[in-house]
Amino acid sequence: MRPAVRHRPRKRFGQHFLAPAWAQKIVAAIAPAPGDVLLEIGPGAGALTKPLAATGVPILAVEVDRDLVAALAPQVPPNVTIVSGDIMTIDVVPYLYGLGSQQSPLNAGPQPSRRVRVVGNLPYNLTSPILFRLVKLQEQHGVFFDATLMVQREVADRLAARPRSKDYGVLTITMQLAGKMEKLLTLPPGAFKPAPKVWSSVVRLRFGPPPVRIADRALFEKVVKAAFGQRRKTLANCLRGLVKQPDDVLDGAGIDPRRRAETLSLEELARLTTQCAGALKLR
């Protein structure tokens, strides 16, 4: 293996490279097991990739920076497949199914159950779009078991927020529908080079069925976006562009029209969507 090439972090990619000691803590939190297949988003210089690869599990590492791809490729073992591309547009599912057929060195007996797990140190400026992308891929393919990701601490607060808090919003609701979220670690700015101006958190989303029944997911998303689009306004005002008689729709859902979006639980949003569907059919 040739020595690693020194790489200057690129601001346009939101690059902050993780220190080895912290990388080991995150690898321990991920705890790869026989049968796991890892999708790593943004391997960078390989702080997570290399110790994860040492466990023997197959890894698909997607990196947008071609210089980092060229530098990392000679340093990783054969169980790591590096793809140069943007996680927001690349179709990772065929790659993952190909990797799933590999035999993991950790496994000496019959193949254990297969789990596709997402890991990564997400660029702060793209965290929400990447999370929405993962949820959409899960809805389409049902391929992921969980996702262990490094995000800005404020984003972690939004992911774990409860109704009636300022952090509760569209991102919170989307993730709660996708599965169960938990915080694992908190990292100071000094855990990275260059050090960001904010603290970071490692969160884990364990994918699962929605906790509430939603008959029309596309309409649910429209209702949520409309409700939170002007979150300081009452729900009756927010829904006027979606249905003709928002007060009647809200009353039918058992929700006071004077309430605001951040007070609604998932169950109430699901009921509101059902009422909106009925109102739209009557148009």
Side-chain angles (χ1 to χ4, degrees):
M1 293 185 184
R2 71 188 186 191
V5 177
R6 186 173 180 83
H7 179 85
R8 177 176 293 180
R10 289 174 173 165
K11 188 175 183 180
R12 67 189 175 102
F13 290 144
Q15 292 175 345
H16 297 276
F17 299 124
L18 188 62
W22 285 99
Q24 290 294 341
K25 292 181 181 181
I26 296 170
V27 170
I30 297 168
D36 286 354
V37 175
L38 302 185
L39 166 61
E40 184 180 8
I41 300 172
L48 288 177
T49 316
K50 295 173 188 176
L52 286 170
T55 68
V57 299
I59 300 173
L60 173 67
V62 179
E63 174 57 59
V64 71
D65 189 327
R66 288 174 295 196
D67 290 342
L68 284 174
V69 171
L72 183 60
Q75 302 178 50
V76 295
N79 57 310
V80 178
T81 300
I82 302 178
V83 175
S84 178
D86 187 347
I87 191 63
M88 294 299 298
T89 57
I90 192 170
D91 185 3
V92 297
V93 174
Y95 290 99
L96 292 170
Y97 281 126
L99 291 180
S101 64
Q102 296 181 14
Q103 179 79 10
S104 170
L106 287 176
N107 178 36
Q111 272 284 36
S113 58
R114 178 179 179 275
R115 304 189 305 179
V116 176
R117 309 180 65 193
V118 185
V119 301
N121 175 15
L122 302 187
Y124 294 150
N125 60 329
L126 290 175
T127 297
S128 292
I130 290 174
L131 289 171
F132 286 126
R133 168 74 168 161
L134 292 176
V135 169
K136 188 61 67 177
L137 286 173
Q138 180 67 2
E139 290 174 4
Q140 294 171 344
H141 304 284
V143 67
F144 301 133
F145 174 74
D146 67 8
T148 304
L149 304 167
M150 184 118 49
V151 300
Q152 187 174 334
R153 185 168 62 177
E154 286 74 13
V155 173
D157 292 339
R158 290 168 58 197
L159 294 173
R162 313 309 299 175
R164 299 185 181 277
S165 69
K166 63 180 179 63
D167 293 318
Y168 186 71
V170 176
L171 180 62
T172 317
I173 292 162
T174 302
M175 295 301 115
Q176 287 183 357
L177 282 178
K180 294 183 178 179
M181 182 71 65
E182 61 177 326
K183 293 183 183 179
L184 303 179
L185 296 169
T186 299
L187 289 77
F192 304 88
K193 287 187 178 180
K197 296 180 180 179
V198 297
W199 285 61
S200 303
S201 293
V202 177
V203 298
R204 174 175 292 146
L205 172 64
R206 179 162 293 186
F207 292 95
V212 295
R213 184 180 180 278
I214 299 171
D216 188 334
R217 184 63 181 264
L219 179 58
F220 178 85
E221 292 176 359
K222 288 182 180 179
V223 170
V224 171
K225 288 179 180 178
F228 283 91
Q230 302 178 75
R231 60 186 299 151
R232 298 318 305 159
K233 289 189 175 182
T234 65
L235 286 166
N237 284 326
C238 290
L239 295 178
R240 290 195 191 283
L242 187 62
V243 292
K244 286 186 177 180
Q245 301 293 334
D247 293 75
D248 293 343
V249 170
L250 287 157
D251 285 338
I255 299 169
D256 186 336
R258 295 170 297 179
R259 287 173 61 184
R260 290 180 169 80
E262 68 262 24
T263 69
L264 296 180
S265 65
L266 284 178
E267 292 80 3
E268 289 174 317
L269 285 164
R271 293 205 310 269
L272 180 55
T273 300
T274 300
Q275 291 296 316
C276 285
L280 291 172
K281 288 179 180 178
L282 295 174
R283 281 188 172 184

